[in-house]
Amino acid sequence: MSTTAETATEIRPFHIEIPDEKIADLRRRITATRWPTKELVDDRSQGVQLAPLRELARYWAEEYDFGGVEGRLNALPQFTTEIDGVEIHFIHVKSEHDDALPLIMTHGWPGSVIEMLDSVSPLTDPAAHGGSAEDAFHLVLPSLPGYGFSGEPVEVGWELGRTARAWAELMRRLGYTRYVAQGGDVGAGVTDAMGRQTPEGLIGIHTNLLVPALSGTMPTETDEERAAAAQIATFGQSGNGYFVEMATRPQTIGYALLDSPVALAAWMIDHDTDAYYKIARAFVDGQPSGNLTRDHILDNITLYWLTGTGASAARSYWEAYGPDAPAAGRPPLPPPPIPVGFTTFPGEIWRTPRSWVDASYPNVIYFNEVDRGGHFAAWEEPELFSTEIRAAFKTLR
């Protein structure tokens, strides 16, 4: 007979089933939305515009296939396991190539594992996508604590470093003794923390958002550096309303996110200017940017709604960046001693110069600036994103 501890650390298969009554309730709530009047400006400076949100709601209630998100997730091997008191959901796809390099990829907010689904095949089977078989990965895609089908933390203290330690434990349980990590947005923070903690087996990291630039002073000697600093300043002045609210008052916004699906949708698409206008065009004009299609966008929002994780996901910002959180004021760990790769996408909140990456990490083995894609790079441009990941870790195989 197994002990309680052994039972808690078991890795259990997971399958999604969406009850019909939940879908019916969601449609009813969308239809019952009380709408504000139209914004008084011609851009997003007052927030999410009425026209794209109305079209999103109409499509969601009338045309969206709710079975699609269930089918997309259930088509992949999913599991759960308890780590440090929280049930962690993850997708684990092993490549057919036995010598594939294990890779753990972490999503951010307002994303989920949904944003990485179309990168699974290019990363696990690169030969089918114009790459080489020797560049294949065994892929682990965990849902952050409080996101998606992972459990909600029931105590404070789940900051980026604690999640990073949980990911190292997950890779240990899966039997991986040599692996790499990638992350964007919140996932970049987790991946950066993993690199600084240097758990046994982690041999390199790659991110597409430069975490140190959010909390440290970067060089501003060149035109490129000054342009990046100006972009960050603009974000801090007029683009980070969601960030401030979730880092300081996540519970307050949580009531709206759990009660109104349209409020949840508005909150989630009001992230950054580039992504917002791409999403708006997908709904209003029927012109998606890459894989940022109406259905894929709603797959992600629907996952948040059905799992009721709007508030718990918001709390992750309080834990990571809030001035009242237990982690506030802690000095950062030393920079990662292991190899670091970085890709900058043109639509990101700021375009990161190579000099900033070199100033942040002592062992940069890969840097590239690509010509398309934004904050949701894996989602919008999965083939390009996967090519970058394969290139970043090529020398570590």
Side-chain angles (χ1 to χ4, degrees), residues 297-315:
I297 293 161
L298 286 172
D299 284 348
N300 186 54
I301 298 171
T302 300
L303 178 63
Y304 272 72
W305 177 263
L306 294 176
T307 56
T309 48
S312 55
R315 290 186 202 120

Side-chain angles (χ1 to χ4, degrees), residues 74-374:
N74 285 336
L76 297 170
Q78 299 176 86
F79 305 89
T80 61
T81 189
E82 184 182 313
I83 302 178
D84 198 7
V86 173
E87 195 77 6
I88 299 297
H89 164 265
F90 64 98
I91 294 169
H92 183 201
V93 184
K94 299 202 72 173
S95 173
E96 293 183 358
H97 306 284
D98 292 337
D99 57 350
L101 180 63
L103 164 64
I104 183 167
M105 293 207 308
T106 310
H107 66 85
W109 184 92
S112 66
V113 292
I114 294 291
E115 64 184 282
M116 300 177 182
L117 296 185
D118 289 299
S119 298
V120 170
S121 181
L123 289 171
T124 59
D125 187 16
H129 298 266
S132 302
E134 59 265 25
D135 292 333
F137 294 95
H138 297 311
L139 198 56
V140 180
L141 306 177
S143 296
L144 288 164
Y147 288 69
F149 292 102
S150 281
E152 293 188 15
V154 295
E155 61 181 4
V156 297
W158 270 94
E159 32 68 53
L160 300 172
R162 188 168 177 178
T163 302
R165 291 189 292 273
W167 279 193
E169 171 61 16
L170 175 59
M171 296 302 276
R172 187 195 68 78
R173 288 187 193 178
L174 293 174
Y176 292 132
T177 57
R178 186 175 183 272
Y179 64 94
V180 292
Q182 142 68 28
D185 193 79
V186 175
V190 173
T191 303
D192 175 87
M194 291 181 74
R196 294 170 189 273
Q197 292 170 358
T198 59
E200 184 177 358
L202 180 64
I203 62 170
I205 65 171
H206 176 276
T207 71
N208 48 283
L209 186 139
L210 191 67
V211 174
L214 290 171
S215 56
T217 302
M218 293 289 119
T220 54
E221 297 174 1
T222 69
D223 289 343
E224 187 181 22
E225 291 170 346
R226 285 189 287 271
Q231 288 179 308
I232 293 178
T234 297
F235 174 71
Q237 291 163 1
S238 61
N240 69 340
Y242 74 91
F243 189 105
V244 173
E245 179 71 15
M246 295 200 298
T248 59
R249 295 293 186 271
Q251 190 70 15
T252 302
I253 190 61
Y255 298 109
L257 303 183
L258 270 290
D259 187 63
S260 167
V262 170
L264 174 67
W267 190 249
M268 291 177 66
I269 68 173
D270 194 19
H271 182 271
D272 65 280
T273 299
D274 177 75
Y276 168 76
Y277 283 124
K278 287 172 178 174
I279 292 170
R281 284 195 297 270
F283 283 99
V284 175
D285 303 322
Q287 297 177 352
S289 176
N291 248 26
L292 280 177
T293 65
R294 293 181 299 183
D295 287 329
H296 288 173
I297 293 161
L298 286 172
D299 284 348
N300 186 54
I301 298 171
T302 300
L303 178 63
Y304 272 72
W305 177 263
L306 294 176
T307 56
T309 48
S312 55
R315 290 186 202 120
S316 73
Y317 270 62
W318 184 90
E319 292 281 11
Y321 312 111
D324 299 318
R330 291 181 190 169
L333 294 172
I338 59 176
V340 174
F342 189 87
T343 300
T344 181
F345 292 85
E348 185 54 272
I349 298 171
W350 71 90
R351 188 173 298 199
T352 298
R354 169 69 189 255
S355 59
W356 282 15
V357 181
D358 288 333
S360 303
Y361 299 117
N363 190 13
V364 178
I365 62 167
Y366 182 83
F367 176 88
N368 194 28
E369 182 174 351
V370 296
D371 61 359
R372 64 186 188 276

Side-chain angles (χ1 to χ4, degrees), residues 18-38:
I18 303 175
D20 290 341
E21 55 269 25
K22 281 196 172 185
I23 297 174
D25 176 67
L26 171 53
R27 285 196 170 114
R28 179 187 62 78
R29 288 172 179 265
I30 295 171
T31 304
T33 299
R34 294 179 62 190
W35 293 94
T37 55
K38 185 180 182 298

